[in-house]
Structures are given as C-alpha cells and as structure tokens.
Coordinates of all heavy atoms in Angstrom, one line a residue:
I1 N 161.2 181.4 147.6 CA 161.3 182.0 149.0 C 160.0 181.8 149.7 O 160.0 181.5 150.9 CB 161.7 183.5 148.9 CG1 163.1 183.7 148.2 CG2 161.7 184.2 150.2 CD1 163.5 185.1 148.0
I2 N 158.9 181.9 149.0 CA 157.6 181.8 149.7 C 157.4 180.4 150.2 O 157.0 180.2 151.3 CB 156.5 182.2 148.7 CG1 156.5 183.7 148.3 CG2 155.1 181.8 149.2 CD1 155.5 184.1 147.3
I3 N 157.7 179.4 149.4 CA 157.5 178.0 149.9 C 158.5 177.6 151.0 O 158.2 176.8 151.8 CB 157.7 177.0 148.7 CG1 159.1 176.9 148.2 CG2 156.7 177.3 147.6 CD1 159.3 175.7 147.3
C4 N 159.6 178.3 151.0 CA 160.6 178.1 152.1 C 160.0 178.6 153.4 O 160.3 178.0 154.5 CB 161.9 178.8 151.8 SG 163.2 178.5 153.0
A5 N 159.3 179.7 153.4 CA 158.8 180.3 154.6 C 157.4 179.8 154.9 O 157.0 179.9 156.1 CB 158.8 181.8 154.5
L6 N 156.6 179.4 153.9 CA 155.2 179.1 154.2 C 155.1 177.7 154.9 O 155.5 176.7 154.4 CB 154.5 179.0 152.8 CG 152.9 178.9 152.9 CD1 152.4 180.2 153.5 CD2 152.4 178.7 151.5
P7 N 154.4 177.7 156.1 CA 154.3 176.5 156.8 C 153.1 175.6 156.4 O 152.3 175.2 157.2 CB 154.1 177.0 158.2 CG 153.3 178.3 158.1 CD 153.8 178.9 156.8
M8 N 153.0 175.4 155.1 CA 151.8 174.6 154.6 C 152.3 173.6 153.5 O 151.8 173.6 152.4 CB 150.8 175.5 154.0 CG 150.1 176.4 155.1 SD 148.6 177.2 154.4 CE 147.5 175.8 154.2
W9 N 153.3 172.8 153.9 CA 153.7 171.7 153.0 C 152.7 170.5 153.1 O 152.4 169.9 152.1 CB 155.1 171.3 153.3 CG 156.1 172.2 152.7 CD1 156.3 173.6 153.0 CD2 157.1 171.9 151.7 NE1 157.4 174.1 152.3 CE2 157.9 173.1 151.5 CE3 157.4 170.8 151.0 CZ2 158.9 173.1 150.6 CZ3 158.5 170.8 150.1 CH2 159.2 172.0 149.9
R10 N 152.4 170.2 154.3 CA 151.5 169.1 154.5 C 150.4 169.5 155.5 O 150.7 170.1 156.6 CB 152.3 167.9 155.1 CG 151.4 166.7 155.4 CD 152.3 165.5 155.8 NE 153.2 165.9 156.9 CZ 154.5 165.7 156.8 NH1 155.1 165.2 155.7 NH2 155.3 166.1 157.8
V11 N 149.1 169.3 155.2 CA 148.0 169.7 156.0 C 147.3 168.4 156.5 O 146.9 167.6 155.7 CB 147.0 170.6 155.2 CG1 145.8 170.9 156.1 CG2 147.7 171.8 154.7
T12 N 147.2 168.3 157.8 CA 146.5 167.2 158.4 C 145.2 167.7 159.1 O 145.3 168.5 160.0 CB 147.4 166.5 159.4 OG1 148.7 166.1 158.8 CG2 146.8 165.3 160.0
S13 N 144.1 167.1 158.7 CA 142.8 167.4 159.3 C 142.3 166.3 160.2 O 142.4 165.1 159.8 CB 141.8 167.7 158.2 OG 142.2 168.8 157.4
V14 N 141.9 166.7 161.4 CA 141.3 165.7 162.4 C 139.8 165.9 162.3 O 139.2 166.9 162.6 CB 141.9 166.0 163.8 CG1 141.3 165.0 164.8 CG2 143.4 166.0 163.8
L15 N 139.1 164.8 161.9 CA 137.7 164.8 161.7 C 137.0 164.3 163.0 O 137.5 163.4 163.7 CB 137.3 163.9 160.6 CG 138.0 164.2 159.2 CD1 137.6 163.2 158.2 CD2 137.8 165.6 158.8
G16 N 135.9 164.9 163.3 CA 135.1 164.4 164.4 C 135.6 164.8 165.8 O 135.1 164.2 166.8
S17 N 136.5 165.7 165.9 CA 137.0 166.1 167.2 C 136.1 167.2 167.8 O 135.4 167.9 167.1 CB 138.5 166.5 167.1 OG 138.6 167.6 166.2
N18 N 136.3 167.4 169.1 CA 135.4 168.5 169.7 C 136.0 169.9 169.3 O 137.1 170.0 168.8 CB 135.4 168.3 171.2 CG 136.8 168.3 171.8 OD1 137.5 169.3 171.8 ND2 137.1 167.2 172.4
T19 N 135.2 170.9 169.6 CA 135.6 172.2 169.1 C 136.8 172.8 169.9 O 137.4 173.7 169.4 CB 134.4 173.2 169.3 OG1 134.0 173.2 170.6 CG2 133.3 172.7 168.4
M20 N 137.1 172.3 171.1 CA 138.2 172.8 171.8 C 139.5 172.3 171.4 O 140.6 172.8 171.7 CB 138.0 172.5 173.3 CG 136.7 173.1 173.9 SD 136.7 174.9 173.8 CE 138.1 175.3 174.8
A21 N 139.6 171.2 170.7 CA 140.8 170.5 170.2 C 141.2 171.1 168.8 O 140.3 171.6 168.1 CB 140.6 169.0 170.1
P22 N 142.4 171.0 168.5 CA 142.8 171.5 167.2 C 142.1 170.7 166.1 O 142.0 169.5 166.2 CB 144.3 171.2 167.2 CG 144.7 171.2 168.6 CD 143.5 170.7 169.3
Q23 N 141.6 171.4 165.1 CA 140.9 170.7 164.0 C 141.9 170.3 162.8 O 141.6 169.4 162.1 CB 139.8 171.7 163.4 CG 138.8 172.1 164.5 CD 138.0 170.9 164.9 OE1 137.5 170.1 164.0 NE2 137.8 170.7 166.2
S24 N 143.0 171.0 162.7 CA 143.9 170.7 161.6 C 145.3 171.2 162.0 O 145.5 172.1 162.9 CB 143.4 171.4 160.3 OG 143.4 172.8 160.4
Y25 N 146.2 170.6 161.3 CA 147.7 170.9 161.5 C 148.3 171.1 160.2 O 147.8 170.6 159.1 CB 148.4 169.8 162.2 CG 147.8 169.4 163.6 CD1 146.8 168.4 163.6 CD2 148.3 169.9 164.7 CE1 146.3 168.0 164.9 CE2 147.8 169.5 166.0 CZ 146.8 168.6 166.0 OH 146.3 168.2 167.2
S26 N 149.3 171.9 160.1 CA 150.1 172.1 158.9 C 151.5 172.1 159.2 O 152.0 172.8 160.2 CB 149.7 173.4 158.2 OG 150.0 174.6 159.0
D27 N 152.3 171.4 158.4 CA 153.7 171.3 158.6 C 154.5 172.1 157.5 O 154.2 171.9 156.4 CB 154.2 169.9 158.7 CG 153.5 169.1 159.8 OD1 153.3 169.7 160.9 OD2 153.1 167.9 159.6
G28 N 155.5 172.8 157.9 CA 156.4 173.5 157.0 C 157.8 173.0 157.2 O 158.1 172.1 157.9
L29 N 158.7 173.7 156.5 CA 160.1 173.3 156.7 C 160.7 173.7 158.0 O 161.6 173.1 158.5 CB 160.9 174.0 155.5 CG 160.5 173.6 154.1 CD1 161.5 174.3 153.1 CD2 160.5 172.1 153.9
W30 N 160.1 174.8 158.6 CA 160.7 175.3 159.8 C 159.8 175.3 161.0 O 160.3 175.3 162.2 CB 161.3 176.7 159.6 CG 162.0 176.8 158.3 CD1 161.6 177.4 157.1 CD2 163.4 176.4 158.1 NE1 162.6 177.3 156.2 CE2 163.7 176.7 156.7 CE3 164.3 175.7 158.9 CZ2 164.9 176.3 156.2 CZ3 165.5 175.4 158.3 CH2 165.8 175.7 157.0
V31 N 158.5 175.4 160.8 CA 157.5 175.5 161.9 C 156.4 174.5 161.6 O 156.1 174.1 160.4 CB 157.0 176.9 162.1 CG1 158.1 177.8 162.5 CG2 156.3 177.4 160.8
T32 N 155.6 174.2 162.6 CA 154.4 173.5 162.5 C 153.3 174.3 163.2 O 153.5 174.9 164.2 CB 154.5 172.1 163.1 OG1 153.2 171.4 163.0 CG2 154.9 172.1 164.6

C-alpha cells in the first residue's frame, strides 16, 4: 500500500541549475 501511494519510484536530479528552478523530480504511480 505504501509503494502504491508513495510518489518516489523514480527520482531525477537536475545538476547545475539555478536555485529558482526545480532541483529534482520524483515520479510515482499516480502523481509526479
């Protein structure tokens, strides 16, 4: 049940971006 709801199946980090832009993303089964 936890892995079904947890939006952290895949984590994408963006290196070298400015502080105002998103630094990382995480994708789950239902939300990103």
Side-chain angles (χ1 to χ4, degrees):
I1 297 176
I2 294 175
I3 70 169
C4 183
L6 189 65
M8 294 192 68
W9 280 63
R10 179 174 51 238
V11 178
T12 304
S13 299
V14 181
L15 307 177
S17 59
N18 56 66
T19 57
M20 298 301 295
Q23 298 295 310
S24 62
Y25 304 88
S26 65
D27 299 324
L29 299 183
W30 313 104
V31 297
T32 179

